[in-house]
Amino acid sequence: MSTTRLRFAPAPTGSLHLGSARTALFNWLVAQGSGGQLILRIEDTNAELTRPELIDNIYRSLEWLQIGFDGEPVRQSERTDLYNDAVEGWISDGLAYVDDGAVRFRVPSEGTTSWNDTVRGTVIFENQHIEDFVVRRADGTATFFTANAVDDFDLGITHVVRGEDLVNVTPKVIMLRQALGAQDMPEFAHLPLIVNEQRKKLSKRRDDVALESYRERGVLAAAMVNYLALLGWGPPDDIEVRPIEEIAALFQLADVNPSPAMFDVKKLESINGDYIRAMTQEEFSEALTPWLKNEIWGSSVDHDRLSQVAPLVQERTRVLSEGPPQLDFFFLETPEIDQSAWEKVMTTAEAPLILESAKMAFATLEWDVDVLHESLRAIGESHDMKLGKAQAPIRVAVTGRLVGPPLFESMHALGRETVLERIAAAHTKLGAT
RNA sequence: GCCCCCAUCGUCUAGCGGCCUAGGACACCGGCCUUUCACGCCGGCAGCACGGGUUCGAAUCCCGUUGGGGGUGCCA
């Protein structure tokens, strides 16, 4: 029995593109599910694509996604002899000819070239519509077609899984493979494109296509991979959010939907929120660390303190970068007061009374979450206000904002002294205006 | 222009001739829970592009129309 062998073959053109990441993932899923091998092949036949930092980018992104490969990466820039031999062979067999310094493959003017695509069914091209394409440039380097056909053959690739934008090169690659003397063809599967709201292929110019930028915003690798798997494929049991190993066990190339899929950031973030909530509290506060540097107070954070308060915002965080901003009042000397929040709740007749009462009550009561809760509830009641209303001035005074983590837990963590200071400051500020 | 492909709720999908009065998820809208926001729970809105066939029976098969996309480089 022959083992399944796949390859992910990106061209190094900067940060890994979402579409490429999805292609890498689907290749990986097939390899996992079939117990086969997955090879990473860098398509850098073009000299400017051989820059090391571009290639490092790919490695870094794939490593982050935890998409692993078998063996060392194959660099096409290091296999030029192989391609030259192939081209020379085609010339001497009369299958290719020199044209203006370049070498072109002679495409028959009759007949058809077709294959049975695993996701799209039979695809047929009439040879008369295919031009004599270039297999070696005038500068002596091999083109994509040549390198692709030679490598897939030489590396024993059994499944070619790639984007739909490559459908039209497939007949050319098939011809070259036959010209190489191959008796068999790999299984081809062309994945649907990932498109934007305008239903156009994601493009670098218009869309946020860099995998890296989602990572920087605090999308977890596991969530990204989970979401990507859902683009063009759906689990048979309707359970969408699940470990990638489970997806690999369920995934079938033939089940992939051939129509284009829109990249929906909202859904990605929803899934990311699921993954964040599934973390332990320790994992979550640890995961927040890289995003601290965006905050002015972030450089001097006490990590014990952070792990104490981070759980308060865990279920309120969809992407990690949203975490630290919700925690600022714990680490700032004085909270940054949101102007519109202040105007909304501090300009009522009750606000000063609530602050006044709380200032007195909080000075002596037992510093306990439940006691604080009950105390504020009673204060509100004495002014004929529901707790939801009564807590607002205190919340603004203590946290600076109208919304945030649970108030009593926050005050408890902050400590009596700080809370009293902030309430007093707000009270004074009110009196002054 | 030419070649190739695609077509189920706004979006991602399930469906592979009867189980469909079309299921799930995200989004959206209500409600409950509730110390704000969130989480959670309950409910709602909303779709087989259109027209012909085939069949006892079609979202599912065939043809056409329309609409959309991809490609058309000595890029990959």
Side-chain angles (χ1 to χ4, degrees), chain A residues 15 18 23 69 73 83-84 88 94 147 154 166 176 184 196 203 224 228 233 252 266 272 315 328 347 388 400 425:
Chain A
S15 175
L18 285 176
T23 299
F69 293 86
Y83 311 142
N84 273 325
E88 292 304 330
D154 182 67
L166 262 13
L176 294 185
D184 62 337
N196 62 19
S203 87
M224 179 56 93
L228 251 18
W233 179 83
Q252 291 292 127
K266 285 240 183 74
N272 201 55
E315 70 179 21
D328 62 351
T347 54

Coordinates of all heavy atoms in Angstrom, one line a residue, chain A residues 15 18 23 69 73 83-84 88 94 147 154 166 176 184 196 203 224 228 233 252 266 272 315 328 347 388 400 425:
Chain A
S15 N 3.9 38.1 5.0 CA 3.2 37.4 6.1 C 2.2 36.4 5.5 O 1.6 36.6 4.4 CB 2.4 38.4 6.9 OG 1.6 37.7 7.8
L18 N -4.3 34.5 4.9 CA -5.3 33.6 5.4 C -5.7 32.4 4.6 O -5.9 31.3 5.0 CB -6.6 34.4 5.7 CG -6.6 35.4 6.9 CD1 -7.9 36.2 6.9 CD2 -6.4 34.6 8.2
T23 N -5.3 26.6 3.3 CA -4.8 25.5 2.4 C -3.8 24.6 3.2 O -3.9 23.4 3.1 CB -4.0 26.1 1.2 OG1 -4.9 26.9 0.5 CG2 -3.5 25.0 0.3
F69 N 5.1 19.5 10.0 CA 5.5 18.9 8.7 C 6.5 17.8 8.9 O 7.1 17.7 9.9 CB 6.1 20.0 7.8 CG 5.1 21.0 7.4 CD1 4.9 22.1 8.2 CD2 4.4 20.9 6.2 CE1 4.0 23.1 7.8 CE2 3.5 21.8 5.8 CZ 3.3 23.0 6.6
P73 N 12.1 21.2 5.1 CA 11.4 21.9 4.1 C 12.2 21.8 2.8 O 13.4 21.7 2.8 CB 11.4 23.4 4.5 CG 11.6 23.3 6.0 CD 12.4 22.1 6.3
Y83 N 15.1 20.8 -12.4 CA 14.3 21.5 -13.4 C 14.9 21.6 -14.8 O 14.3 21.4 -15.8 CB 13.8 22.8 -12.9 CG 13.3 22.8 -11.5 CD1 13.6 23.9 -10.6 CD2 12.5 21.7 -11.0 CE1 13.1 23.8 -9.3 CE2 12.1 21.7 -9.7 CZ 12.4 22.8 -8.8 OH 11.9 22.7 -7.5
N84 N 16.2 21.9 -14.7 CA 16.9 22.0 -16.0 C 17.0 20.7 -16.7 O 16.8 20.7 -18.0 CB 18.4 22.5 -15.7 CG 18.4 24.0 -15.7 OD1 17.7 24.7 -16.4 ND2 19.2 24.6 -14.8
E88 N 15.5 20.2 -20.4 CA 16.4 19.7 -21.5 C 15.8 18.4 -22.1 O 15.8 18.2 -23.3 CB 17.8 19.4 -21.0 CG 18.6 20.6 -20.5 CD 18.8 21.6 -21.6 OE1 18.8 21.2 -22.8 OE2 18.8 22.8 -21.3
G94 N 11.5 16.8 -28.2 CA 10.6 17.6 -29.1 C 9.3 18.1 -28.5 O 8.4 18.5 -29.2
A147 N 8.6 23.6 -12.0 CA 9.0 23.3 -10.6 C 7.9 22.5 -10.0 O 8.1 21.5 -9.3 CB 9.3 24.5 -9.8
D154 N 8.7 14.1 -8.4 CA 9.9 13.6 -7.7 C 9.6 13.3 -6.2 O 10.2 12.4 -5.7 CB 10.9 14.7 -7.8 CG 12.2 14.3 -7.2 OD1 12.9 13.3 -7.7 OD2 12.6 14.9 -6.1
L166 N -5.9 28.1 -8.7 CA -4.9 27.3 -9.4 C -5.5 26.3 -10.3 O -4.8 25.5 -11.0 CB -3.9 26.6 -8.4 CG -2.6 27.2 -8.1 CD1 -2.5 28.7 -8.6 CD2 -2.3 27.2 -6.6
L176 N 2.8 18.4 -18.2 CA 4.2 18.3 -17.9 C 4.5 17.0 -17.2 O 5.6 16.3 -17.4 CB 4.7 19.5 -17.0 CG 4.6 20.9 -17.7 CD1 5.2 21.9 -16.7 CD2 5.4 20.9 -19.0
D184 N 1.2 7.8 -13.4 CA 0.0 8.1 -12.6 C -0.2 9.6 -12.4 O 0.6 10.4 -12.7 CB 0.2 7.4 -11.2 CG 1.4 8.0 -10.5 OD1 2.3 8.6 -11.2 OD2 1.5 8.0 -9.2
N196 N -14.1 38.2 0.5 CA -14.5 39.3 1.4 C -16.0 39.6 1.3 O -16.8 38.9 0.6 CB -13.7 40.5 1.2 CG -13.9 41.1 -0.2 OD1 -14.9 40.8 -0.9 ND2 -12.9 41.9 -0.7
S203 N -7.8 40.2 -0.8 CA -6.6 40.7 -1.4 C -5.8 41.5 -0.4 O -6.4 42.1 0.6 CB -6.9 41.6 -2.6 OG -7.2 42.9 -2.2
M224 N -8.3 30.1 15.7 CA -8.1 30.4 14.3 C -8.2 29.1 13.4 O -8.9 29.1 12.4 CB -6.7 31.1 14.1 CG -6.4 31.4 12.7 SD -7.6 32.5 11.8 CE -7.0 34.1 12.1
L228 N -11.0 28.3 10.6 CA -10.5 28.1 9.3 C -11.1 26.8 8.7 O -11.4 26.7 7.6 CB -9.0 28.1 9.2 CG -8.2 29.3 8.6 CD1 -9.0 30.5 8.4 CD2 -6.9 29.5 9.2
W233 N -16.2 23.7 4.9 CA -16.5 22.4 5.4 C -17.3 22.5 6.7 O -17.3 23.5 7.4 CB -15.2 21.7 5.7 CG -15.3 20.3 6.3 CD1 -15.5 19.2 5.6 CD2 -15.3 20.0 7.7 NE1 -15.6 18.1 6.5 CE2 -15.5 18.6 7.8 CE3 -15.2 20.7 8.9 CZ2 -15.5 17.9 9.0 CZ3 -15.2 20.0 10.1 CH2 -15.4 18.6 10.2
Q252 N -13.2 15.0 5.6 CA -13.1 14.3 4.4 C -13.0 15.4 3.2 O -13.9 16.2 3.1 CB -14.3 13.5 4.1 CG -14.5 12.3 5.0 CD -13.5 11.2 4.8 OE1 -12.8 10.8 5.7 NE2 -13.3 10.8 3.6
K266 N -16.6 38.3 12.8 CA -17.5 38.2 14.0 C -17.5 36.7 14.5 O -17.5 36.5 15.6 CB -18.9 38.6 13.6 CG -19.0 40.1 13.5 CD -20.1 40.6 14.5 CE -20.3 42.1 14.4 NZ -21.1 42.4 13.2
N272 N -13.3 32.5 19.2 CA -12.2 32.8 20.0 C -12.7 33.0 21.5 O -12.0 32.6 22.4 CB -11.5 34.1 19.5 CG -10.1 34.2 20.0 OD1 -9.3 33.3 19.8 ND2 -9.8 35.3 20.6
E315 N -14.5 36.3 30.9 CA -15.7 36.0 30.1 C -16.2 37.2 29.3 O -17.1 37.1 28.6 CB -16.8 35.4 31.0 CG -17.4 36.4 31.9 CD -18.6 35.8 32.7 OE1 -18.6 34.5 32.8 OE2 -19.4 36.6 33.2
D328 N -7.5 48.5 33.6 CA -6.7 49.7 33.9 C -6.8 50.3 35.3 O -5.9 50.6 35.9 CB -6.8 50.8 32.8 CG -8.3 51.3 32.7 OD1 -9.2 50.7 33.4 OD2 -8.5 52.3 32.0
T347 N -24.7 63.6 37.4 CA -25.4 64.9 37.3 C -26.8 64.7 37.9 O -27.6 65.6 37.9 CB -25.5 65.4 35.9 OG1 -26.1 64.4 35.1 CG2 -24.2 65.8 35.4
G388 N -29.1 48.3 40.4 CA -28.6 48.5 39.1 C -28.4 50.0 38.8 O -27.4 50.4 38.2
G400 N -14.1 54.5 36.8 CA -14.0 55.6 35.7 C -15.0 55.3 34.6 O -15.1 56.2 33.7
A425 N -12.9 61.4 46.2 CA -12.4 62.3 45.1 C -13.6 62.7 44.2 O -13.7 63.8 43.8 CB -11.3 61.6 44.3

